[in-house]
């Protein structure tokens, strides 16, 4: 695939049109410009091979050297356009501070120190209010550099502020490193699924190593970063109930003691999303919706583009909550609108929306639509496992199996069931007991052994649907060992169990799901 074409195709229709005009403005000659011609060829619906592109651009005599030079020029145009566009659209505090700093540097070079110092004071004030430590460091360095100016503030007043900012910046950098380290150490666990990982020990060691154990209460920026670190650990351990209590207390404490300035809206939105997600996973659905509505109000209160990544995340979580509050039709409306929206979702958000929509269609009994939504994912099992993890893959495949059962496609359901079993058994083979090392036996499937038990019950249903109404089968489903936990288990897993339980009871799946989830 042509990387330049791939990059250009990410532009929206409006941006493509603007970029075409931007190219034309770069030089006076507008007729026959080859870079404009190359751009038009690259964004065509049908991709052309390199040889075809060269032939189109140089029909008289093919010139590969000139072609590759032309590609480089087009890439430079694209970079310049994106930089200009970002500067025009970026209304964040960091961008404003950078703008003041650039203006101050120019004014110093132009020999107008009075205006330069006035501009620096504005940059410092905004930077301190919004905790832009990296930008503030540059501001203070420029102040120190020009401290001999008659318009400068006293150096002995600048230096303490500089040192205090350096300390805060260093703390923020340590938090960034700690966050990245934890993500890296947990990534392998996510790919493997529910492997045993000493999450608490990893978290405590990282926080202690980077001296962050007591730092979370000092600023909204650091609080959101440290909550992210803790959340990553909790996602592996599945202790959502404890995390929900912890982050709610921290958020409310920060809001009461210091509040959130308008310029700290991004950090507040991150905290609200993490809090709402933890409440959802703890089955406190109405409370989760309340915090999501608070976040939605923040999103609508100011420029949306700097925080546009929050919109789909809040939408997906709101739709998930609605499903457990008997508002599933509204969930479907939210997700369908997100997929039809004027701005295309990112690849990850698009996959999430489609998989989630599958669940909501299924809950409504719209099995054909659920199947179409699942087919629209258009990703292989290997890709899903490598990019989204084993849990995501299993959820997709179990969902597909249940849909095929509801569509009376028994053979397809059995094929998918066998594939799921094979995946789990290959990744987690049985391990016999070892008396020499005092190691206990591990059944096939390891942490996913209960899933294999669940699949064996589903297999019985597929092969003999009448077995669902027998006392023995119902008793085994009721006492399905360790498949669900009243406090910690994933709601997706509960939805799978509810389908099986509904079959034994002869009741609608959605009603049984709500009873179990809200128990």
């Amino acid at each position: 695939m042509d990387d330049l074409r791939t990059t250009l195709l990410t532009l929206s229709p409006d941006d493509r049109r603007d970029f075409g005009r931007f190219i034309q403005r770069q030089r006076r000659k507008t007729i026959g410009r080859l870079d404009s011609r190359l751009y038009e060829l690259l964004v065509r619906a049908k991709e052309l091979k390199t040889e075809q592109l060269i032939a189109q651009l140089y029909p008289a005599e093919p010139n590969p050297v000139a072609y590759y030079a032309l590609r480089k020029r087009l890439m430079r145009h694209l970079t310049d356009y994106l930089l200009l566009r970002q500067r025009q659209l970026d209304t964040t505090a960091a961008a404003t501070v950078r703008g003041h700093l650039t203006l101050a540097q120019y004014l110093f070079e132009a020999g107008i120190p009075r205006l330069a110092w006035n501009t620096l004071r504005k940059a410092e004030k905004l930077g301190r209010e919004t905790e832009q430590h990296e930008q503030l460091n540059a501001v203070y360095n420029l102040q120190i550099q020009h401290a001999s100016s008659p318009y400068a503030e006293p150096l002995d007043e600048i230096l303490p502020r500089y040192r205090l900012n350096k300390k805060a910046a260093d703390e923020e950098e340590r938090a960034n490193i700690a966050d990245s380290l934890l993500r890296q150490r947990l990534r392998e666990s996510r790919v493997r699924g529910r492997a045993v990982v000493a999450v608490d020990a990893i978290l405590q060691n990282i926080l202690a190593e980077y001296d962050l154990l007591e730092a979370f209460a000092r600023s909204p920026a650091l609080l959101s970063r440290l909550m992210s670190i803790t959340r990553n650990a909790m996602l592996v351990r599945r202790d959502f109930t404890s995390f929900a209590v912890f982050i709610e207390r921290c958020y409310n404490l920060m809001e009461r003691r210091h509040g959130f300035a308008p310029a700290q809206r991004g950090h507040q939105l991150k905290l609200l999303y993490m809090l709402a997600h933890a409440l959802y996973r703890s089955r406190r659905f109405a409370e989760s919706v309340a915090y999501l509505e608070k976040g939605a109000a923040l999103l609508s209160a100011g420029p949306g583009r700097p925080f546009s990544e929050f919109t789909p995340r809040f939408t997906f979580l709101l739709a998930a909550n609605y499903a457990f509050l008997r508002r599933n039709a509204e969930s479907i409306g939210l997700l369908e609108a997100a997929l039809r929206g004027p701005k295309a979702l990112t690849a990850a958000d698009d996959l999430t929306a489609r998989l989630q929509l599958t669940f909501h269609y299924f809950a409504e009994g719209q099995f054909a639509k659920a199947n179409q939504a699942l087919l629209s994912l258009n990703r292989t099992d290997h890709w899903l496992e490598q990019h989204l993890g084993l849990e995501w893959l299993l959820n997709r495949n179990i969902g597909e199996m249940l849909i095929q059962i509801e569509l009376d496609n028994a053979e397809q359901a059995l094929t998918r069931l066998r594939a799921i079993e094979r995946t789990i058994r290959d990744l987690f083979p049985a391990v016999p007991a070892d008396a020499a090392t005092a190691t206990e036996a591990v059944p096939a499937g390891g942490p996913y052994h209960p899933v294999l038990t669940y699949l064996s019950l589903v297999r019985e249903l597929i092969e003999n649907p009448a077995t669902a109404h027998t006392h023995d089968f119902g008793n085994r489903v009721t006492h399905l060992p360790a498949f669900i936990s009243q406090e910690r288990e994933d709601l997706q897993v509960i939805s799978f169990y509810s389908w099986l339980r509904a079959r034994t009871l002869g009741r609608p799946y959605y009603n049984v799901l709500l009873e179990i989830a809200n128990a």
Side-chain angles (χ1 to χ4, degrees):
M1 184 175 289
D2 189 321
D3 290 343
L4 180 55
R5 170 182 161 85
T6 301
T7 305
L8 290 169
L9 290 179
T10 62
L11 297 174
S12 68
D14 287 343
D15 285 335
R16 288 189 200 177
R17 183 173 58 254
D18 290 345
F19 179 52
R21 294 170 181 166
F22 177 83
I23 296 173
Q24 294 291 350
R25 289 198 300 268
Q26 300 311 297
R27 292 182 183 175
R28 294 179 182 177
K29 183 181 178 182
T30 59
I31 300 175
R33 287 285 308 282
L34 288 182
D35 43 6
S36 293
R37 177 64 176 150
L38 174 59
Y39 170 60
E40 293 168 0
L41 292 172
L42 287 173
V43 296
R44 281 185 176 179
K46 182 179 180 181
E47 183 175 2
L48 300 177
K49 295 182 179 180
T50 301
E51 296 78 9
Q52 295 172 310
L53 289 168
I54 294 175
Q56 292 267 7
L57 293 165
Y58 307 99
E61 182 179 354
N63 192 337
V65 175
Y67 166 72
Y68 285 107
L70 184 62
R71 286 177 61 91
K72 289 181 180 179
R73 189 162 72 238
L74 182 58
M75 180 58 83
R76 284 197 300 270
H77 287 326
L78 178 60
T79 303
D80 291 342
Y81 169 75
L82 292 175
L83 284 171
L84 180 62
R85 175 177 171 272
Q86 182 181 18
R87 183 170 295 179
Q88 292 171 338
L89 298 175
D90 192 349
T91 59
T92 62
T96 305
V97 175
R98 281 196 300 269
H100 286 327
L101 183 62
T102 301
L103 177 58
Q105 288 171 324
Y106 168 78
L107 291 170
F108 279 126
E109 292 170 0
I112 313 176
R114 180 182 61 82
L115 290 180
W117 265 99
N118 287 343
T119 306
L120 278 180
R121 290 186 184 96
K122 292 178 184 178
E124 181 188 2
K125 182 176 184 295
L126 180 60
R128 292 175 67 179
E129 289 174 350
T130 58
E131 298 181 305
Q132 300 296 327
H133 302 301
E134 183 180 350
Q135 309 301 329
L136 269 176
N137 189 58
V139 169
Y140 286 130
N141 277 311
L142 193 58
Q143 288 182 348
I144 293 168
Q145 180 183 344
H146 294 277
S148 60
S149 168
Y151 305 100
E153 296 183 8
L155 186 59
D156 58 0
E157 293 181 10
I158 299 173
L159 291 176
R161 299 200 299 267
Y162 165 76
R163 296 190 187 101
L164 189 63
N165 181 71
K166 284 286 285 185
K167 181 180 178 181
D170 181 62
E171 197 169 65
E172 189 172 52
E173 288 175 4
R174 295 201 311 272
N176 288 338
I177 295 171
D179 192 7
S180 295
L181 276 174
L182 185 64
R183 289 175 187 271
Q184 180 181 357
R185 294 178 187 180
L186 296 180
R187 190 175 297 120
E188 183 180 352
S189 170
R190 188 193 68 169
V191 172
R192 293 201 312 265
R194 302 179 190 179
V196 178
V197 178
V199 176
D200 288 339
I202 292 174
L203 176 61
Q204 289 296 319
N205 289 340
I206 290 175
L207 293 181
E209 180 181 354
Y210 290 92
D211 191 24
L212 294 168
L213 290 171
E214 301 296 332
F216 68 89
R218 300 178 187 176
S219 75
L222 201 57
L223 178 61
S224 68
R225 177 66 69 183
L226 290 172
M227 287 302 102
S228 175
I229 294 173
T230 309
R231 179 174 180 263
N232 282 325
M234 294 300 181
L235 287 174
V236 173
R237 202 174 68 183
R238 283 179 162 73
D239 192 0
F240 302 108
T241 302
S242 297
F243 180 61
V245 173
F246 176 59
I247 188 174
E248 189 170 28
R249 184 172 66 249
C250 291
Y251 177 85
N252 290 329
L253 187 64
M254 176 65 70
E255 191 172 43
R256 285 197 307 271
R257 287 186 176 178
H258 308 289
F260 295 92
Q264 295 165 341
R265 191 153 51 107
H267 302 306
Q268 188 177 8
L269 286 168
K270 289 178 186 177
L271 289 167
L272 283 170
Y273 177 80
M274 288 188 283
L275 172 53
H277 182 262
L279 290 170
Y280 163 73
R281 298 296 287 267
S282 303
R283 308 187 205 178
R284 294 163 59 183
F285 305 115
E287 295 170 73
S288 177
V289 168
Y291 282 109
L292 287 171
E293 289 173 345
K294 192 171 185 177
L298 285 173
L299 281 171
S300 62
R305 186 175 288 272
F307 309 108
S308 58
E309 77 274 10
F310 287 103
T311 300
R313 293 163 64 186
F314 274 68
T315 300
F316 300 158
L317 188 51
L318 188 62
N321 275 289
Y322 279 172
F324 292 96
L325 293 170
R326 294 194 177 276
R327 301 170 64 178
N328 194 53
E330 293 178 62
S331 302
I332 292 174
L334 285 172
L335 294 170
E336 288 180 338
L339 288 168
R340 293 194 309 264
K343 182 178 180 182
L345 297 172
T346 64
D349 284 342
D350 185 84
L351 288 172
T352 299
R354 293 178 190 279
L355 182 65
Q356 190 173 335
L357 195 54
T358 300
F359 161 74
H360 295 294
Y361 283 143
F362 190 93
E364 289 290 303
Q366 300 178 21
F367 305 119
K369 281 191 172 183
N371 191 44
Q372 286 299 317
L374 204 58
L375 291 173
S376 70
L377 294 179
N378 197 27
R379 297 289 184 178
T380 65
D381 283 7
H382 178 74
W383 190 96
L384 291 173
E385 183 178 355
Q386 291 301 310
H387 289 82
L388 301 175
L390 181 61
E391 293 280 331
W392 214 100
L393 171 65
L394 290 178
N395 287 340
R396 197 286 301 266
N397 289 347
I398 294 175
E400 180 184 356
M401 174 189 70
L402 299 183
I403 289 170
Q404 295 306 320
I405 294 173
E406 293 291 355
L407 292 174
D408 294 324
N409 296 327
E411 283 304 316
Q412 290 185 40
L414 276 174
T415 299
R416 178 49 73 185
L417 186 149
R418 295 187 194 104
I420 299 169
E421 287 181 328
R422 186 166 55 251
T423 297
I424 294 175
R425 292 180 187 278
D426 288 348
L427 289 172
F428 302 98
V431 178
D434 189 337
T437 60
T439 303
E440 296 182 2
V442 177
Y448 291 91
H449 178 70
V451 180
L452 293 178
T453 306
Y454 171 82
L455 292 173
S456 69
L457 293 170
V458 175
R459 183 193 295 271
E460 290 184 45
L461 271 184
I462 296 173
E463 294 175 345
N464 182 15
T467 196
H469 307 296
T470 65
H471 175 74
D472 174 67
F473 187 84
N475 187 57
R476 282 187 288 147
V477 170
T478 302
H479 298 92
L480 187 60
F483 192 68
I484 65 170
S485 161
Q486 289 301 311
E487 293 299 329
R488 291 168 137 183
E489 193 53 271
D490 194 325
L491 284 165
Q492 185 68 61
V493 174
I494 291 176
S495 73
F496 295 148
Y497 173 78
S498 298
W499 177 85
L500 190 59
R501 181 69 174 151
R503 281 296 180 109
T504 66
L505 297 173
R507 295 178 54 204
Y509 154 73
Y510 187 41
N511 292 339
V512 175
L513 170 64
L514 294 184
E515 288 178 7
I516 293 177
N518 290 288

